[in-house]
């Protein structure tokens, strides 16, 4: 009955901290009252109490074991209230942080609400199109990133304290880690070098893992997908979903899993740069891994040079101090620094460039001696200078890296020249020069790289470099070449003549061609009748013709799966309209910046490209009535 007579608690506007203080004060008063009672609260004498205890014992013997125990009188000692008050005092600082966090989240959400309302206010619904709304994409992507960060900062509502939640996640990560193959374990632990909840691109991971020797060179692209798929299924990483991507290409790790992987990596001795409450540090681990972090260029003590297998730049903007590692102190101080020829025989991965897709971190290498030192890295498998803008040329010492598998020069904007003896890199499989816009010609010895499978950023040069530059038809000897991206730096090479030089590449499955200048090429006669059967992906940027050649008409694309045509200011159509649906195999179509292309959704989907599953329509005002969203994307699996 007493339970039914309880009054409803009054709602208070006090802060959580003040509520705890009030409860603590009330508990103190209650303890004082209870401890002041000396006699039995029901008025029983000691004699009566003894009789009752004997009767209770007899009664208990007649009960089943599942029945509740007989009631007995227990003197109050105050310890219960003491424990309760202690728990409240431990809880109080956490509640203060929770209130502050709630305030911060509220302010952040108010900003996002204001942003969305502003976008709605400034957007005229009567003129909405993929062109007029594309400008809102950066705002929405920025909002998505911030909300994603908030998601991982919000405390767990499962009823468990955060420490217990983190401990449970760690236990699960340990169990899943034990289930992995040894190579997969190393792949997982490599995430310990990246900050938590940061996006990491699949290609970068593939390059790195090949360099470490934990991923096979042959079939590496499929292998890295399988590894990341298993990590995803085990909830160790999360794919970063992008609507304009057919499939995710980036991944990230949530804070709880990341902290577990960092701890695992530290215990095993692979990577060790993060410490609680302190800045990341440069340190060589027992497994010979060194991570460069912000401030590494002025360390109090340089890491030991003995048995270094990996140097990975996590956040350092001036990494050329690593030159010191290649040097020995001369016996005579007046002599120049003597270069070591033995210290770095163990180095396999030298990742000096930027791993992030974002271009915010500017990396500069000013010391030219660093390039000369590369010749000592006899066993190097992976070399990355991605995003280092101050590199003007590659020293010929790079050509002595006979075991090099991957040379990553992406976005080296200042790079103007490759070494003439680049053909000496006899084991090179991946050469990526994407974004090297100052590069005007490629040495002809590049055609000697018989093991090359991926070549990106190849420049078809003007006639001024005749005799020294590698021509497009020289590449026919690269029988293993699977992926090729070309930048055409001349005004007389159309798509037909270009394709004639490539038809002999029997392994080629992906081709991207970019004309560097906006030019117009009229008649482009060729003997090409159809694309090679093995070619599955074709990307044509700044397309210089008014019409697609016959062999590029949809009815002739019987094996191509992905087609992207962009920047063709003169392109008007994709061929005569057939009487019935074609057998075109294209599933992914991207049309970007084609102001004169005239095409309707019905003929596009039902006649030209009947197998279409993905369409990007951006800055193509005459491609009409498509069901694309505000960002110009239509997907059959989501719409």
């Amino acid at each position: 009955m007493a339970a039914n007579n309880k009054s409803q608690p009054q709602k208070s506007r006090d802060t959580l901290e003040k509520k705890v203080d009030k409860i603590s004060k009330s508990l103190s008063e209650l303890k004082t009252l209870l401890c002041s009672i000396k006699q039995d609260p029901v008025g029983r004498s000691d004699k009566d109490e003894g009789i009752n205890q004997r009767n209770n014992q007899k009664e208990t013997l007649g009960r089943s074991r599942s029945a509740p125990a007989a009631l007995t009188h227990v003197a109050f000692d105050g310890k219960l209230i003491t424990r309760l008050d202690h728990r409240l005092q431990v809880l109080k600082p956490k509640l203060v942080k929770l209130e502050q966090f709630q305030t911060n989240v509220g302010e952040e959400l108010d900003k996002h609400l204001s942003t969305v309302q502003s976008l709605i206010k400034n957007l005229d619904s009567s003129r909405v199109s993929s062109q007029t709304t594309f400008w809102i994409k950066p705002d929405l992507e920025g909002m998505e990133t911030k909300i994603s960060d908030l998601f991982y900062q919000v405390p767990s509502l499962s009823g468990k304290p955060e420490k217990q939640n983190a401990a449970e996640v760690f236990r699960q990560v340990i169990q899943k880690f034990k289930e992995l193959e040894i190579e997969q374990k190393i792949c997982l632990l490599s995430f310990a070098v990246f900050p938590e909840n940061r996006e990491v691109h699949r290609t970068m991971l593939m390059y790195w893992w090949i360099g470490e020797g934990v991923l096979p060179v042959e079939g590496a692209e499929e292998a890295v997908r399988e590894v990341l798929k298993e990590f995803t299924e085990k909830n160790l990483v999360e794919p970063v979903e992008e609507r304009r991507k057919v499939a995710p290409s980036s991944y990230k790790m949530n804070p709880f899993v990341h902290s577990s992987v960092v701890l695992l990596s530290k215990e095993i001795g692979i990577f060790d740069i993060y410490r609680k409450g302190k800045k990341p540090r440069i340190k060589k681990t027992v497994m010979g891994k060194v991570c460069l972090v912000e401030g590494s260029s002025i360390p109090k003590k340089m890491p030991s040079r003995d048995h270094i297998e990996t140097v990975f730049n996590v956040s350092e903007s001036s990494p050329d101090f690593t030159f010191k590692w290649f040097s020995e102190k001369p016996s005579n101080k007046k002599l120049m620094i003597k270069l070591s020829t033995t210290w770095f025989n163990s180095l396999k991965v030298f990742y000096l460039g930027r791993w992030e897709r974002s271009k915010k971190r500017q990396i500069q290498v000013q010391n030219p001696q660093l390039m000369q030192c590369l010749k000592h890295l006899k066993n190097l498998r992976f070399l990355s200078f991605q995003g280092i803008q101050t590199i003007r040329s590659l020293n010929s010492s790079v050509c002595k890296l006979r075991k090099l598998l991957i040379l990553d020069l992406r976005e080296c904007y200042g790079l103007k020249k490759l070494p003439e003896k680049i053909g000496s890199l006899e084991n090179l499989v991946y050469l990526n020069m994407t974004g090297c816009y100052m590069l005007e010609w490629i040495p002809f010895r590049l055609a000697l790289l018989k093991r090359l499978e991926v070549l990106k950023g190849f420049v078809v040069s003007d006639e001024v470099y005749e005799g020294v530059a590698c021509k497009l038809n020289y590449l026919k000897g690269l029988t293993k070449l699977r992926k090729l991206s070309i930048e055409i730096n001349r005004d007389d090479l159309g798509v037909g003549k270009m394709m004639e030089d490539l038809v002999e590449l029997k392994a080629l499955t992906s081709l991207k061609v970019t004309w560097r200048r906006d030019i117009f090429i009229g008649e482009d006669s060729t003997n090409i009748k159809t694309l090679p059967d093995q070619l599955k992906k074709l990307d044509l940027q700044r397309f210089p013709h008014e019409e697609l050649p016959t062999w590029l008409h949809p009815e002739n694309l019987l094996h191509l799966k992905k087609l992207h045509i962009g920047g063709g200011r003169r392109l008007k159509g994709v061929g005569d309209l057939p009487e019935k649906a074609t057998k075109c195999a294209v599933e992914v179509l991207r049309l970007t910046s084609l102001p004169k292309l005239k095409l309707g959704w019905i003929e596009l989907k039902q006649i030209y490209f009947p197998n279409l599953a993905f369409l990007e329509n951006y800055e193509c005002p005459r491609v009409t009535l498509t069901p694309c969203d505000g960002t110009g994307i239509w997907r059959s699996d989501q719409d």
Side-chain angles (χ1 to χ4, degrees):
M1 295 295 294
N4 296 330
N5 292 331
K6 285 183 179 179
S7 60
Q8 293 294 325
Q10 295 181 351
K11 292 185 179 181
S12 170
R13 294 186 178 180
D14 292 334
T15 63
L16 297 178
E17 183 181 15
K18 197 161 186 178
K19 289 179 181 179
V20 170
D21 289 337
K22 285 185 175 182
I23 295 174
S24 181
K25 184 177 179 181
S26 299
L27 284 174
S28 179
E29 293 177 5
L30 179 61
K31 180 179 179 181
T32 301
L33 289 172
L34 291 174
C35 290
S36 65
I37 300 176
K38 302 298 183 182
Q39 60 184 18
D40 187 278
V42 293
R44 294 177 297 185
S45 65
D46 292 341
K47 182 177 180 180
D48 293 336
E49 185 175 351
I51 294 172
N52 286 337
Q53 287 178 350
R54 288 194 295 271
N55 290 338
N56 286 340
Q57 289 175 0
K58 291 179 181 179
E59 183 181 352
T60 303
L61 291 175
R63 293 170 180 262
S64 66
R65 293 190 177 185
S66 61
L71 296 175
T72 58
H73 170 63
V74 180
F76 182 79
D77 61 4
K79 291 182 179 180
L80 178 60
I81 289 182
T82 301
R83 291 198 305 270
L84 182 55
D85 186 57
H86 172 71
R87 290 185 180 276
L88 283 169
Q89 298 308 316
V90 172
L91 179 64
K92 185 165 73 171
K94 295 185 178 182
L95 293 176
V96 173
K97 292 181 179 179
L98 181 61
E99 280 196 323
Q100 182 59 49
F101 176 76
Q102 187 174 2
T103 301
N104 295 339
V105 171
E107 292 174 355
E108 187 70 27
L109 293 177
D110 287 340
K111 292 179 183 178
H112 295 326
L113 177 60
S114 176
T115 299
V116 175
Q117 290 177 337
S118 176
L119 292 175
I120 294 173
K121 183 178 179 181
N122 295 329
L123 199 61
D124 183 357
S125 61
S126 64
R127 300 175 62 186
V128 173
S129 68
S130 61
Q131 291 76 38
T132 57
T133 61
F134 190 76
W135 57 271
I136 71 173
K137 185 178 178 182
D139 290 327
L140 296 178
E141 287 180 341
M143 187 185 304
E144 181 186 27
T145 300
K146 291 179 180 179
I147 290 177
S148 179
D149 291 341
L150 286 176
F151 175 80
Y152 290 111
Q153 294 174 30
V154 173
S156 171
L157 300 179
S158 63
K160 299 180 181 179
E162 186 175 334
K163 286 186 178 180
Q164 290 182 5
N165 198 355
E168 176 61 20
V169 171
F170 182 68
R171 186 192 65 78
Q172 293 176 3
V173 171
I174 291 291
Q175 180 59 39
K176 294 171 183 177
F177 181 76
K178 291 178 180 179
E179 298 170 358
L180 299 175
E181 301 291 338
I182 181 63
E183 292 82 5
Q184 293 176 331
K185 289 179 179 179
I186 298 174
C187 292
L188 182 66
L189 294 177
S190 66
F191 278 86
V193 309
F194 308 113
E196 65 183 27
N197 209 28
R198 292 290 296 275
E199 296 182 11
V200 185
H201 199 269
R202 183 181 62 239
T203 299
M204 188 279 298
L205 291 173
M206 182 187 71
Y207 286 169
W208 184 14
W209 294 345
I210 290 175
E212 295 283 358
V214 297
L215 214 62
V217 179
E218 186 174 354
E221 293 174 19
E222 185 60 33
V224 72
R225 283 186 171 89
E226 288 299 319
V227 170
L228 292 170
K229 179 182 178 183
E230 182 159 359
F231 290 173
T232 301
E233 291 174 350
K234 291 181 179 293
N235 293 321
L236 295 170
V237 299
E238 302 172 7
V240 179
E241 301 288 347
E242 294 183 56
R243 185 165 168 78
R244 68 176 305 274
K245 294 276 189 180
V246 178
S249 59
S250 294
Y251 296 79
K252 61 183 179 181
M253 184 175 282
N254 79 50
F256 280 159
V257 176
H258 180 267
S259 61
S260 303
V261 170
V262 167
L263 185 57
L264 264 176
S265 179
K266 181 178 180 179
E267 291 179 351
I268 294 173
I270 294 187
F271 298 104
D272 183 11
I273 60 176
Y274 296 110
R275 297 169 294 169
K276 188 174 182 180
K278 297 182 180 180
K279 291 183 177 180
R281 60 178 174 175
I282 178 174
K283 179 183 178 181
K284 193 193 87 171
T285 63
V286 295
M287 301 290 285
K289 314 294 183 184
V290 176
C291 290
L292 310 182
V293 296
E294 186 178 3
S296 296
S297 56
I298 47 174
K300 296 180 180 179
K301 184 179 179 181
M302 293 289 291
S304 168
R305 295 178 294 183
D306 296 331
H307 190 71
I308 294 181
E309 288 190 354
T310 301
V311 174
F312 192 95
N313 187 354
V314 177
S315 55
E316 178 57 66
S317 297
S318 302
D320 53 353
F321 75 94
T322 50
F323 167 72
K324 298 178 182 178
W325 287 343
F326 296 93
S327 310
E328 295 175 343
K329 292 182 179 179
S331 56
N332 188 340
K333 294 184 178 179
K334 295 182 179 181
L335 297 177
M336 293 181 64
I337 292 177
K338 180 182 178 182
L339 296 179
S340 169
T341 58
T342 58
W343 293 116
F344 275 73
N345 284 337
S346 58
L347 193 65
K348 295 180 181 179
V349 174
F350 195 31
Y351 203 119
L352 214 60
R354 185 183 64 233
W355 61 267
E356 309 97 313
R357 303 288 280 186
S358 168
K359 301 176 184 179
K360 291 182 180 179
R361 181 161 60 113
Q362 303 293 322
I363 302 178
Q364 297 185 351
V365 174
Q366 305 289 354
N367 195 336
Q369 290 176 306
L370 178 64
M371 287 293 181
Q372 299 174 10
C373 297
L374 295 176
K375 62 185 177 183
H376 301 301
L377 310 181
K378 301 295 185 181
N379 294 305
L380 194 68
R381 294 163 56 92
F382 174 30
L383 175 63
S384 176
F385 291 136
Q386 181 183 358
I388 302 181
Q389 301 180 11
T390 52
I391 295 179
R392 298 288 181 264
S393 64
L394 284 186
N395 193 282
S396 59
S397 60
V398 173
C399 301
K400 296 183 179 181
L401 306 178
R402 301 300 174 87
K403 294 186 178 181
L404 193 68
L405 299 173
I406 305 164
L407 179 56
D408 181 12
L409 303 173
R410 286 173 293 176
E411 298 174 357
C412 291
Y413 301 124
L415 183 64
K416 294 182 178 181
K417 187 178 179 182
L418 295 177
E420 293 183 5
K421 296 182 180 180
I422 194 171
S424 300
L425 299 175
E426 56 193 32
N427 284 300
L428 199 65
V429 178
Y430 294 85
L431 174 56
N432 197 333
M433 301 173 288
T434 303
C436 297
Y437 302 119
M438 299 293 288
L439 203 60
E440 294 188 353
W441 62 284
I442 304 294
F444 69 88
R445 286 192 175 91
L446 180 138
L448 300 176
L449 301 175
K450 301 299 183 181
R451 296 194 61 190
L452 205 61
E453 295 184 18
V454 176
L455 174 58
K456 295 188 176 183
F458 180 86
V459 180
V460 180
S461 58
D462 213 336
E463 293 180 356
V464 69
Y465 297 104
E466 186 77 27
V468 295
C470 185
K471 295 183 178 180
L472 200 56
N473 61 353
Y474 291 1
L475 301 182
K476 63 184 178 182
L478 305 183
T479 57
K480 294 186 177 182
L481 196 62
R482 298 180 293 104
K483 294 186 176 183
L484 174 64
S485 74
I486 302 169
E487 296 195 8
I488 298 179
N489 194 30
R490 53 189 298 175
D491 299 337
D492 59 347
L493 185 60
V495 66
K497 292 180 180 179
M498 178 270 302
M499 188 57 69
E500 281 185 349
D501 290 332
L502 299 176
V503 290
E504 295 187 37
L505 294 175
K506 303 301 182 182
L508 192 66
T509 60
S510 176
L511 174 63
K512 180 178 180 180
V513 184
T514 302
W515 283 262
R516 282 188 171 180
R517 295 185 286 273
D518 186 13
I519 60 176
F520 170 68
I521 297 178
E523 186 176 351
D524 185 37
S525 59
T526 177
N527 294 323
I528 298 293
K529 301 299 181 182
T530 182
L531 286 175
D533 291 353
Q534 80 281 356
L535 191 66
K536 304 301 179 186
K537 181 178 180 181
L538 179 61
D539 189 342
L540 304 172
Q541 296 297 312
R542 289 203 182 99
F543 190 72
H545 306 288
E546 287 186 348
E547 299 289 341
L548 289 180
T550 304
W551 50 273
L552 270 182
H553 286 183
E555 64 263 26
N556 295 318
L557 303 180
L558 304 180
H559 303 280
L560 194 71
K561 297 295 183 182
K562 297 180 180 180
L563 175 62
H564 185 181
I565 304 177
R569 296 184 179 275
R570 296 172 179 83
L571 183 65
K572 297 179 179 179
V574 295
D576 296 334
L577 184 66
E579 295 181 358
K580 59 180 181 179
T582 70
K583 296 182 179 180
C584 177
V586 171
E587 298 173 356
V588 178
L589 177 64
R590 298 182 188 272
L591 304 173
T592 58
S593 302
L594 304 171
K596 292 186 178 181
L597 178 64
K598 189 174 182 180
L599 199 59
W601 170 247
I602 295 178
E603 56 263 33
L604 186 150
K605 178 66 174 73
Q606 297 183 7
I607 306 296
Y608 287 118
F609 304 98
N611 292 309
L612 196 65
F614 180 101
L615 172 66
E616 179 179 7
N617 174 24
Y618 172 62
E619 289 188 345
C620 301
R622 298 187 180 185
V623 178
T624 58
L625 302 178
T626 64
C628 296
D629 62 13
T631 61
I633 300 297
W634 170 79
R635 305 177 62 122
S636 63
D637 60 340
Q638 296 182 9
D639 299 313

